[in-house]
Amino acid sequence: MSQRPAPSPFHIPARDIARRPGTQKMVSEVFPAPAVLGTDVIGVPQGAEVSLDVSLESVSDGIWVSGTVTAEAVGECGRCLDEVRQQVAAPVQGLFTLDDPKVDDEDEEPEDVFEFDGETIDLEEVVRDAVATQLPFTPLCRPDCPGLCDQCGARLADDPDHAHDVIDPRWSALQSLIEEKES
Ligand SMILES: [Zn+2]
Ligand SMILES: [Zn+2]
């Protein structure tokens, strides 16, 4: 029994509208993310729900795709390491061209042009980039997160008056003497 690889949810069949300029179709799907979408510090986890709402419009040289991808990204606060959850609604767009992707139009952004084999639109790269640009470089649980105490690692948000007893100056003088001797 031959095992067919599971089709990627980002692969959208478009043969029915290919080479038929003026036709279009809407795609609205919800599926678990087949892989992490995002960066090392924050991303949509594998298996998390992803909503894809796009319209596919057949144009003379291919298919113009535009819409939105929505999901929830999970990451770690860059200051206090708490979990950060962020709703992502990223605009998705691109021209999937039947010709070799070449830029002969000044107004056309080359990064929005992708290859199209006449059968299937592969939205994975577009979605991946769209989500990544919506995510912060340093996720924060809240904009004014005070972070952790640099002495004991306590969360300063839980304990804003947090302080450490300063070592008696005589003791610290003695301590540095001992350290000097040891080194
Ligand atoms: Zn934080
Ligand atoms: Zn502390």
Side-chain angles (χ1 to χ4, degrees):
M1 204 174 93
S2 69
Q3 204 130 38
R4 277 200 305 168
S8 164
F10 294 117
H11 290 181
I12 297 172
R15 189 184 188 166
D16 49 342
I17 59 166
R19 297 185 181 85
R20 293 173 58 204
T23 56
Q24 63 170 320
K25 67 175 185 179
M26 307 295 290
V27 174
S28 191
E29 277 171 21
V30 178
F31 51 83
V36 176
L37 296 169
T39 62
D40 289 344
V41 286
I42 186 165
V44 179
Q46 185 177 3
E49 194 175 279
V50 175
S51 304
L52 187 64
D53 290 285
V54 288
S55 74
L56 277 62
E57 229 184 293
S58 197
V59 291
S60 60
D61 50 351
I63 290 177
W64 171 250
V65 177
S66 69
T68 315
V69 60
T70 324
E72 187 180 56
V74 182
E76 201 174 62
C77 174
R79 293 188 195 146
C80 74
L81 312 181
D82 257 15
E83 189 180 83
V84 175
R85 287 178 175 269
Q86 186 183 322
Q87 245 353 92
V88 181
V92 168
Q93 62 175 41
L95 176 67
F96 288 76
T97 173
L98 291 155
D99 314 321
D100 283 335
K102 58 173 184 279
V103 184
D104 48 16
D105 186 342
E106 293 274 304
D107 303 327
E108 206 153 69
E109 301 232 318
E111 59 260 38
D112 282 352
V113 181
F114 305 88
E115 261 180 277
F116 173 46
D117 60 6
E119 300 277 331
T120 311
I121 298 284
D122 183 359
L123 280 181
E124 179 160 1
E125 190 187 335
V126 187
V127 167
R128 196 167 277 288
D129 290 351
V131 170
T133 54
Q134 297 288 309
L135 296 172
F137 287 112
T138 307
L140 294 177
C141 62
R142 56 182 224 217
D144 59 346
C145 171
L148 302 176
C149 169
D150 58 7
Q151 298 205 41
C152 71
R155 296 185 66 231
L156 297 177
D158 296 340
D159 191 0
D161 300 323
H162 186 89
H164 288 268
D165 288 336
V166 179
I167 301 172
D168 187 292
R170 284 165 297 176
W171 261 113
S172 64
L174 199 61
Q175 194 130 36
S176 57
L177 259 175
I178 294 165
E179 277 162 12
E180 250 169 59
K181 271 201 167 162
E182 279 173 353
S183 60

